[in-house]
């Protein structure tokens, strides 16, 4: 599989490819006994992911910074699926305080948790620090999700144990994880404005998503927890993620029209990894176009993953 399959939409070993939609890859799957959280579920591929999970009868919690937009998304889903089970909770991933408040609010609902989809993200932002003083792309794309996952892990373990149904965590990464700083992660200079590159900082945060998934997968397997963790590249999709580089990407889309996906295709890999029975027991893998792919050398570096885990724990606890 490669650029040819991407351009033609040719199916890979899974039976799906770049042209497959989220509805197609989940066709016939009954998720009525599952509860899922989708971060950034108010727009783009997050909204499509939430819609399709609800279509398959899952109880979906849309976690979003903009509660008004999330409630509009909820109404949009209910218009076509009047019986859909959708809840909205506020979550600002670039604020550690907000992540903790979200976890408390979710636990207070006393719901099970089978699926966590770490979907939300920002891209190519001008240099900025979060409320906690952390580079904004790393804070939002990685650290917020890292902390959120840790805070919800006991609930997921408990659900998997009491129901016998395997839990699944999906981290949305990107092919951009290959384009990062020369050391992979700037542990020492994370917040340094002089060395900041909006593209490389994005790549760094997306590399962190894969490393986080792989390290968590190893830890859960070591303790025998019935939860899988995988990362995905959704594909190139024109969404509001591109607000900082709209002109560049419109030009790119004009030059390379065949490798871009629409939103239903963009949500396919996430939905496939979150719901498909073929992936039962599959953990610590990276998926693209609904098929397993080999991520970068940095992404498979176990020492780097461990270092990132410890670094992230320290950051989350000190903020």
């Amino acid at each position: 599989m490669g650029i040819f399959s991407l351009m033609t939409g040719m199916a890979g070993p899974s039976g799906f490819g770049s042209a497959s939609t989220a509805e197609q890859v989940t066709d016939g799957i009954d998720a009525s006994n599952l509860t899922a959280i989708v971060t950034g579920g108010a727009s783009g591929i997050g909204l499509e992911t939430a819609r399709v999970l609800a279509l398959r009868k899952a109880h979906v919690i849309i976690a979003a910074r903009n509660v008004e937009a999330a409630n509009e998304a909820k109404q949009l889903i209910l218009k076509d699926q009047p019986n859909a089970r959708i809840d909205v909770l506020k979550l600002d991933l670039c604020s550690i305080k907000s992540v903790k408040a979200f976890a408390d609010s979710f636990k207070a609902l006393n719901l099970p948790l089978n699926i966590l989809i770490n979907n939300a993200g920002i891209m190519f932002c001008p240099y900025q620090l979060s409320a906690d003083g952390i580079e904004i792309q790393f804070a939002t794309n990685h650290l917020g999700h890292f902390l959120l996952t840790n805070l919800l892990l006991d609930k997921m373990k408990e659900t998997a144990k009491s129901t016998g149904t395997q839990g699944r965590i999906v981290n949305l990464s990107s092919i951009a994880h290959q384009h990062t700083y020369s050391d992979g992660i700037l542990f020492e200079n994370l917040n340094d404005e002089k060395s900041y590159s909006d593209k490389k900082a994005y790549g760094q945060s997306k590399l962190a998503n894969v490393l986080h998934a792989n390290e968590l997968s190893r830890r859960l397997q070591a303790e025998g927890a019935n939860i899988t963790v995988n990362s995905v590249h959704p594909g190139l999709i024109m969404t509001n993620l591109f607000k900082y580089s709209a002109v560049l990407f419109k030009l790119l889309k004009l030059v390379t029209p065949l490798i871009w996906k629409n939103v239903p295709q963009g949500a396919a890999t996430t939905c496939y990894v979150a719901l498909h029975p073929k992936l039962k027991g599959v953990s610590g893998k990276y998926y693209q176009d609904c098929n397993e792919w080999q991520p970068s050398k940095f992404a498979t570096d176990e020492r780097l993953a461990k270092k990132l885990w410890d670094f992230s724990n320290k950051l989350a606890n000190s903020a």
Side-chain angles (χ1 to χ4, degrees):
M1 292 186 72
I3 197 73
F4 177 75
S5 58
L6 183 64
M7 289 168 69
T8 59
M10 188 177 72
S14 69
F16 303 112
S18 63
S20 302
T21 66
E23 284 198 26
Q24 287 169 344
V25 304
T26 58
D27 187 39
I29 294 173
D30 177 12
S32 57
N33 62 330
L34 304 177
T35 301
I37 291 174
V38 182
T39 70
S43 64
I45 58 175
L47 171 53
E48 177 66 1
T49 300
R51 185 189 74 81
V52 172
L53 290 180
L55 184 67
R56 302 301 171 223
K57 306 284 190 289
H59 181 178
V60 180
I61 287 85
I62 293 176
R65 188 176 49 186
N66 185 338
V67 174
E68 195 182 327
N71 277 313
E72 282 172 19
K74 175 182 174 176
Q75 292 311 316
L76 205 66
I77 295 170
L78 288 171
K79 197 176 164 189
D80 288 335
Q81 306 171 46
N83 298 321
R85 293 177 293 159
I86 309 273
D87 283 302
V88 169
L89 285 178
K90 184 174 175 64
L91 170 66
D92 183 352
L93 284 157
C94 77
S95 158
I96 282 170
K97 187 181 171 187
S98 176
V99 174
K100 288 177 176 174
F102 171 89
D104 288 342
S105 300
F106 176 76
K107 287 172 190 171
L109 294 174
N110 211 20
L111 291 169
L113 182 57
N114 306 92
I115 299 168
L116 173 61
I117 297 177
N118 291 320
N119 163 84
I122 54 173
M123 187 163 104
F124 301 167
C125 310
Y127 177 81
Q128 195 183 333
L129 295 180
S130 72
D132 305 300
I134 299 157
E135 189 276 305
I136 198 87
Q137 295 192 81
F138 188 87
T140 306
N141 297 349
H142 166 65
L143 192 65
H145 282 127
F146 173 85
L147 178 61
L148 177 70
T149 305
N150 277 358
L151 293 174
L152 296 174
L153 215 44
D154 283 346
K155 173 58 78 174
M156 290 197 77
K157 288 176 187 175
E158 193 184 293
T159 302
K161 204 170 183 179
S162 63
T163 61
T165 303
Q166 191 166 68
R168 295 190 187 186
I169 298 169
V170 185
N171 278 4
L172 263 79
S173 179
S174 165
I175 199 164
H177 81 273
Q178 298 176 353
H179 181 65
T180 183
Y181 297 105
S182 57
D183 293 333
I185 309 275
L186 293 181
F187 294 107
E188 308 301 323
N189 301 309
L190 186 68
N191 299 332
D192 181 44
E193 193 170 355
K194 283 183 190 154
S195 57
Y196 182 77
S197 152
D198 58 353
K199 312 288 186 296
K200 287 180 181 178
Y202 178 69
Q204 170 180 250
S205 71
K206 295 288 105 181
L207 169 62
N209 292 148
V210 186
L211 289 168
H212 170 223
N214 292 351
E215 179 64 19
L216 180 56
S217 173
R218 279 190 287 272
R219 286 167 182 255
L220 291 172
Q221 282 176 324
E223 65 176 83
N226 192 18
I227 300 169
T228 63
V229 198
N230 294 292
S231 48
V232 305
H233 165 51
L236 290 173
I237 309 113
M238 187 64 79
T239 68
N240 58 7
L241 259 190
F242 289 111
K243 65 182 177 184
Y244 293 109
S245 307
V247 176
L248 167 67
F249 280 91
K250 276 174 186 164
L251 183 66
L252 261 179
K253 198 171 183 185
L254 202 66
V255 181
T256 57
L258 293 174
I259 66 168
W260 289 77
K261 294 183 179 186
N262 58 34
V263 169
Q265 291 167 339
T269 305
T270 304
C271 289
Y272 173 73
V273 175
L275 284 186
H276 207 282
K278 269 188 188 173
L279 268 77
K280 189 177 178 189
V282 176
S283 193
K285 306 294 183 187
Y286 174 78
Y287 284 83
Q288 182 174 317
D289 301 332
C290 299
N291 287 278
E292 189 186 330
W293 281 66
Q294 184 63 27
S296 72
K297 197 175 173 186
F298 276 139
T300 55
D301 185 331
E302 290 190 22
R303 279 184 305 176
L304 188 63
K306 174 78 171 68
K307 188 175 180 183
L308 175 67
W309 183 278
D310 295 339
F311 178 74
S312 305
N313 252 334
K314 197 174 168 187
L315 266 187
N317 291 325
S318 63

